[in-house]
Amino acid sequence: MKLVKLSLVAFVVAGLASSSFAASDTLADAFKNGKVNGELRAWYFDRDTGDQNTNTLAKGDADIFSTGVMLSYVTDSLYGLSLGTTFQSSYSPFADNDAKNLYGTDMYGSGAVLSEAYVTYTLGKTTAKVGRQFIASPLVNSSGSRMIKEAFQAAVLINTDLPDTTLVAGYSDRFQGRTSDYDRSVDGSDSEMPSFKKEAVFYGTGTTAGSNVFGFDGAYTAAAINKSITNLTLTGQYLFVNDVEFTEGGDANVFYAEGNYVVPLSTMKLLFDVTYRGSRTSNETFDSFHVEGDMYQGRIGFSELAGFKASFAYSTVSDDQSVLLGAGNGPSTYTAPLIKGAEVTSGANTNAYKVEVGYDFSKVGVAGLKVLGQYAKINQDAHTAGALATVLNGVAVDTESTYWEAQIAYDLPTIKGLTLSLEYEDGQKETTTTVDSSEMRFRANYKF
């Protein structure tokens, strides 16, 4: 423009959801037969940066408690037409200056925002969705890992006329982030609810750090999913962002291709995944950010083995060129740490691997309880490309980062709709010195 594997399937489901209701005969019936759903949230985050951030006001250890509501309404279909809206709110009543500084750009802020306001129209096997909306796809993705979920002002077209094939085309001219613009030059400066702006978040390393917000003049995407070969899913997507403001009119091109193959056995499923990501730019100013890189990823694993699942993933990025992962903070990689995210895997000269093991306790009679463990190791060889290159005393140095992570989630059977989850990450970054960091996230979500 992070907790599950991203797929264009989510993109398609979001676009077609409004056409799944039985059609109404009158406008009054369409509104009367509409569906309301929502979610109540209470989240507590605690982060210790280990003083890794170069901005002094974003260093240190701070925690934040936030509450919020997400409320959605979608009308029934009338002659193929339907309307949808989603409000989001957030409130952090006890945040001190440390919390405001550390979480100002991604979590802290009070108020409400209308994140979805769209109309959909379905004719045959084609659905158009126009307006403010959440989008989930490999290159254009609304991150929901913070209290306010990102959204796009967009037009999306989905067609399934071709056998075993889904085609997607989209255009976006505005983006809604997690919080408003935030001035860290003032200690304790408040952040507020975000608004829709002609600014895109480019996710990935190579420019200033992680995700980067630049003005733009329209973004276009096209994608395809094919399942014509049994047990094999092929996905491709292209993203073009026009006239990136910070780069004197330069354009960004981002590419994605993925293959997922499943081997069903009598007691489990074997999983094989490969992915290519790449990005290119169009002028010398943009080129100076060193984001014309390629990333190759592979993953093998299994699932549904008496409640167990496990996988091993590896990724590598080209020498001296980083990769833009896409628009919004949602795009991910196979080797992305659970909390730290994909940005640490997309830098130039980076090789990473991740081991993941999970277990579903419903197999032993504890319904709704799941655990997950991860170990990720990320090596970045010495280089001088991009602002995130590690340079000490004018000399580029190697870095090695490791992340131990755990997640436990419990859907309470006694209170339908209530989910409790706890995530913890312990990180260590080694250059000529060693810096430790940690983060804990607790979430209580009640869906109705």
Side-chain angles (χ1 to χ4, degrees):
M1 174 85 334
K2 291 189 187 159
L3 302 177
V4 298
K5 176 181 176 295
L6 302 178
S7 169
L8 275 175
V9 173
F11 200 162
V12 174
V13 169
L16 299 178
S18 61
S19 63
S20 61
F21 305 145
S24 296
D25 295 325
T26 67
L27 183 60
D29 285 341
F31 279 92
K32 183 174 63 175
N33 297 329
K35 304 294 183 181
V36 176
N37 63 77
E39 185 174 353
L40 304 178
R41 298 172 168 180
W43 294 5
Y44 175 76
F45 286 14
D46 184 283
R47 182 186 302 168
D48 183 354
T49 68
D51 289 348
Q52 293 182 73
N53 197 301
T54 56
N55 190 306
T56 57
L57 293 179
K59 290 182 178 181
D61 185 0
D63 60 272
I64 189 168
F65 172 73
S66 301
T67 60
V69 178
M70 180 179 286
L71 187 62
S72 299
Y73 171 75
V74 181
T75 70
D76 199 3
S77 176
L78 176 65
Y79 303 115
L81 284 167
S82 61
L83 305 174
T85 60
T86 298
F87 285 90
Q88 298 188 89
S89 70
S90 178
Y91 181 51
S92 303
F94 310 114
D96 57 17
N97 281 351
D98 288 340
K100 294 175 182 179
N101 288 323
L102 197 59
Y103 293 96
T105 59
D106 66 341
M107 189 72 168
Y108 175 73
S110 296
V113 59
L114 178 63
S115 295
E116 288 197 304
Y118 60 82
V119 57
T120 63
Y121 178 66
T122 300
L123 179 63
K125 295 183 179 181
T126 300
T127 295
K129 186 175 183 180
V130 181
R132 299 180 177 185
Q133 56 190 285
F134 302 136
I135 294 178
S137 73
L139 295 185
V140 182
N141 198 282
S142 305
S143 171
S145 63
R146 302 301 193 272
M147 186 63 69
I148 297 298
K149 185 175 182 177
E150 297 170 340
F152 296 86
Q153 182 171 287
V156 177
L157 192 66
I158 302 170
N159 178 269
T160 57
D161 276 312
L162 296 178
D164 302 309
T165 302
T166 299
L167 301 177
V168 182
Y171 168 79
S172 176
D173 66 347
R174 292 180 183 273
F175 172 74
Q176 171 238 292
R178 296 162 168 172
T179 65
S180 66
D181 292 336
Y182 178 67
D183 183 7
R184 277 206 173 114
S185 64
V186 180
D187 187 30
S189 176
D190 284 356
S191 183
E192 298 175 348
M193 286 295 98
S195 58
F196 283 82
K197 298 181 179 180
K198 293 183 71 64
E199 294 179 344
V201 169
F202 291 89
Y203 190 52
T205 56
T207 47
T208 56
S211 56
N212 309 276
V213 181
F214 299 135
F216 74 111
D217 186 22
Y220 305 81
T221 190
I225 312 168
N226 182 270
K227 297 183 178 182
S228 57
I229 301 175
T230 303
N231 298 324
L232 176 65
T233 300
L234 299 175
T235 302
Q237 188 174 9
Y238 168 67
L239 170 66
F240 173 79
V241 185
N242 185 53
D243 269 350
V244 181
E245 183 180 81
F246 191 73
T247 60
E248 300 177 358
D251 304 323
N253 300 269
V254 191
F255 310 91
Y256 181 89
E258 182 176 30
N260 309 110
Y261 186 61
V262 179
V263 180
L265 302 178
S266 58
T267 58
M268 65 177 178
K269 292 181 178 180
L270 296 179
L271 313 173
F272 301 90
D273 306 308
V274 292
T275 295
Y276 164 76
R277 286 182 177 272
S279 57
R280 299 293 186 270
T281 56
S282 66
N283 66 19
E284 292 182 1
T285 304
F286 213 158
D287 292 348
S288 67
F289 287 120
H290 303 281
V291 288
E292 294 201 326
D294 302 289
M295 171 185 276
Y296 300 92
Q297 305 175 78
R299 179 171 57 192
I300 59 173
F302 67 84
S303 65
E304 300 180 17
L305 178 60
F308 285 97
K309 67 176 183 178
S311 65
F312 172 81
Y314 174 78
S315 66
T316 183
V317 180
S318 52
D319 295 346
D320 297 322
Q321 293 289 338
S322 300
V323 177
L324 291 174
L325 298 178
N329 284 291
S332 190
T333 63
Y334 294 162
T335 53
L338 181 67
I339 290 180
K340 188 64 175 179
E343 66 181 78
V344 294
T345 67
S346 62
N349 291 17
T350 297
N351 296 284
Y353 69 82
K354 183 173 75 172
V355 178
E356 179 177 291
V357 178
Y359 183 68
D360 183 351
F361 280 86
S362 64
K363 300 300 181 180
V364 292
V366 185
L369 179 62
K370 296 180 180 180
V371 296
L372 184 72
Q374 293 182 350
Y375 171 74
K377 186 173 183 179
I378 301 163
N379 295 314
Q380 187 172 33
D381 294 338
H383 69 101
T384 57
L388 288 188
T390 302
V391 180
L392 299 176
N393 298 321
V395 179
V397 298
D398 295 344
T399 64
E400 179 180 283
S401 302
T402 57
Y403 298 93
W404 292 92
E405 299 180 284
Q407 180 189 64
I408 181 170
Y410 186 40
D411 297 328
L412 274 71
T414 54
I415 308 177
K416 186 178 180 180
L418 178 60
T419 299
L420 305 179
S421 66
L422 179 67
E423 299 171 358
Y424 180 77
E425 175 183 88
D426 181 73
Q428 186 177 84
K429 182 177 181 180
E430 295 184 5
T431 52
T432 56
T433 60
T434 299
V435 178
D436 296 318
S437 62
S438 64
E439 184 159 358
M440 184 272 289
R441 296 177 180 178
F442 171 79
R443 295 181 175 93
N445 298 331
Y446 177 69
K447 293 184 178 181
F448 57 91

